[in-house]
């Protein structure tokens, strides 16, 4: 079912990628994919910086692009056609149910997040366990969330270390996303991360930690986070902003252009520059 071999290269789970990051104390940015071009920009910028590439896709973006199989096959085909040689993981971001994670795994995603954080901890554990049992049969890695990452409709609820330990022990997940004060989308005011909490959870669980809501967090806070066990930093909004800014300028200066390739491509440089800068900052460059 899982077909990970692409020529002589591998599409892999996030396990080796993030265990190496944990050991060598850097973080791998995970970029959200919105369309084919996004996937190409992320792969090419990762290859240029010799950084592992984590392409993560939300359920909404999967629906937008046509479905799980379309996304998985599209990324795999790009890896082959673009001759990408750095490790690549295809990750489901915020899987909301067992069925969603199963669909991703069956389509060839190499990693999934089951986000059962909206449920009480025992339900979160049970659902996460079900996903881990299925995923691990196919060598697919699993991320889970404890507490609530903030967002437009979601209040921040900081992760409890006891709940994190319980979930990790009982489910055998590979990476943990504890809510540390970050939010999805833009911050109102200055972001605040509970990094002592991250350190405590990292020591207690010994798993690579994931930080969601990477957009808008100051560089020094991210670097301090890496010292406290954060190994994967999710970034979506930031790339959307730099891309749309560049496209707006292009359209203003080229009001009569109608070729969609030219319009979408107008944001390529801005996205790639942002990725290269982020990969350098978080230390994931020249690792492969
Ligand atoms: P941002 O959109 O805030 O960068 O967050 C992305 C994210 O955490 C995806 O899971």
């Amino acid at each position: 079912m899982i077909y990970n071999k692409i020529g002589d290269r591998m599409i892999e789970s996030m396990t080796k990628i993030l265990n190496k990051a944990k050991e060598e104390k850097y973080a791998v940015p995970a970029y959200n994919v919105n369309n084919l071009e996004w996937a190409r920009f992320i792969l090419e910028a990762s290859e240029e910086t010799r950084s592992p590439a984590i392409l993560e896709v939300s359920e909404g973006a999967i629906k937008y692009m046509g479905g799980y199989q379309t996304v998985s096959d599209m990324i795999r085909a790009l890896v082959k056609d673009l001759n990408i040689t750095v490790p690549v993981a295809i990750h489901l971001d915020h899987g909301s149910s067992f069925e969603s994670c199963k669909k991703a795994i069956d389509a060839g995603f190499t990693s999934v997040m089951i986000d059962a954080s909206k449920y009480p901890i025992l339900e979160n554990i049970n659902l996460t366990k079900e996903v881990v049992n299925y995923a691990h049969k196919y060598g697919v890695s699993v991320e889970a969330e404890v507490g609530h990452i903030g967002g437009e409709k979601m209040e921040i609820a900081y992760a409890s270390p006891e709940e994190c330990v319980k979930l990790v022990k009982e489910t055998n997940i590979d990476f943990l996303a504890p809510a540390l004060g970050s939010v999805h989308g833009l911050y109102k005011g200055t972001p605040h991360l509970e990094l002592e909490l991250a350190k405590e959870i990292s020591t207690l669980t010994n798993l690579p930690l994931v930080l969601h809501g990477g957009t808008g967090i100051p560089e020094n806070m991210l670097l301090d986070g890496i010292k406290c066990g954060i190994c994967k930093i999710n970034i979506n909004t930031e790339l959307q902003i730099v891309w749309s800014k560049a496209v707006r300028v292009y359209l203003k200066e080229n009001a009569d252009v109608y070729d969609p390739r030219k319009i979408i491509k107008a944001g390529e440089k801005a996205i790639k520059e942002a990725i290269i800068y982020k990969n350098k900052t978080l230390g994931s460059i020249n690792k492969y």
Side-chain angles (χ1 to χ4, degrees):
M1 181 198 306
I2 306 288
Y3 46 106
N4 283 343
K5 199 125 172 69
I6 305 279
D8 56 0
R9 293 175 295 279
M10 293 292 279
I11 304 272
E12 56 180 81
S13 80
M14 297 197 306
T15 305
K16 268 204 251 160
I17 295 173
L18 293 188
N19 285 346
K20 178 173 160 70
K22 183 172 185 298
E23 212 172 286
E24 296 177 22
K25 290 214 179 304
Y26 60 90
V28 182
Y31 299 108
N32 283 74
V33 174
N34 290 290
N35 55 25
L36 178 140
E37 288 82 354
W38 240 252
R40 177 169 71 73
F41 302 158
I42 297 164
L43 287 169
E44 286 178 344
S46 303
E47 182 74 11
E48 191 182 325
T49 47
R50 306 301 309 158
S51 167
I54 300 177
L55 281 73
E56 60 181 20
V57 199
S58 68
E59 289 173 349
I62 288 170
K63 195 167 168 207
Y64 171 79
M65 286 183 268
Y68 295 80
Q69 200 64 59
T70 305
V71 171
S72 173
D73 288 355
M74 175 184 81
I75 295 173
R76 284 159 189 281
L78 283 170
V79 168
K80 186 162 187 265
D81 283 345
L82 299 174
N83 223 354
I84 301 298
T85 58
V86 290
V88 175
I90 309 174
H91 177 73
L92 173 67
D93 190 26
H94 293 284
S96 60
S97 62
F98 174 79
E99 291 69 32
S100 173
C101 292
K102 182 176 181 300
K103 272 190 201 162
I105 294 164
D106 292 353
F109 280 56
T110 56
S111 184
V112 293
M113 174 190 191
I114 173 68
D115 178 0
S117 64
K118 60 179 177 288
Y119 301 118
I121 190 66
L122 291 182
E123 268 177 75
N124 186 346
I125 289 174
N126 285 340
L127 181 49
T128 301
K129 212 188 285 181
E130 199 185 350
V131 171
V132 171
N133 286 343
Y134 190 75
H136 281 183
K137 267 198 268 181
Y138 301 103
V140 169
S141 54
V142 181
E143 173 186 329
E145 177 175 326
V146 173
H148 297 309
I149 287 142
E152 239 172 66
K153 293 180 202 137
M154 188 61 91
E155 286 285 306
I156 297 167
Y158 290 94
S160 128
E162 293 73 29
E163 290 187 352
C164 289
V165 170
K166 193 170 164 59
L167 183 133
V168 168
K169 264 200 188 140
E170 292 189 22
T171 63
N172 200 20
I173 53 164
D174 304 285
F175 331 104
L176 178 68
L180 302 168
S182 61
V183 307
H184 289 119
L186 296 176
Y187 286 83
K188 293 184 189 102
T190 316
H192 170 77
L193 295 183
E194 285 291 334
L195 292 180
E196 280 305 311
L197 179 61
K199 202 193 275 178
E200 186 185 350
I201 294 169
S202 167
T203 309
L204 288 169
T205 62
N206 201 25
L207 283 187
L209 300 185
V210 177
L211 180 70
H212 283 249
T215 297
I217 299 181
E219 231 169 88
N220 59 344
M221 216 181 265
L222 294 178
L223 295 177
D224 286 345
I226 295 172
K227 288 186 201 136
C228 298
I230 291 168
C231 302
K232 169 179 177 255
I233 299 181
N234 290 5
I235 293 157
N236 183 25
T237 308
E238 184 174 334
L239 296 192
Q240 296 185 338
I241 290 174
V242 295
W243 178 83
S244 51
K245 260 191 195 157
V247 170
R248 268 192 205 101
V249 170
Y250 176 79
L251 286 174
K252 210 169 162 198
E253 289 169 359
N254 301 273
D256 51 357
V257 170
Y258 49 81
D259 182 340
R261 291 169 300 182
K262 289 188 179 153
I263 297 170
I264 297 174
K265 202 177 159 44
E268 174 170 351
K269 189 165 168 276
I271 284 203
K272 283 186 169 170
E273 278 173 4
I275 293 176
I276 290 167
Y277 183 79
K278 197 58 84 181
N279 290 357
K280 281 186 184 158
T281 308
L282 302 184
S284 69
I285 61 160
N286 296 329
K287 297 300 178 196
Y288 291 88

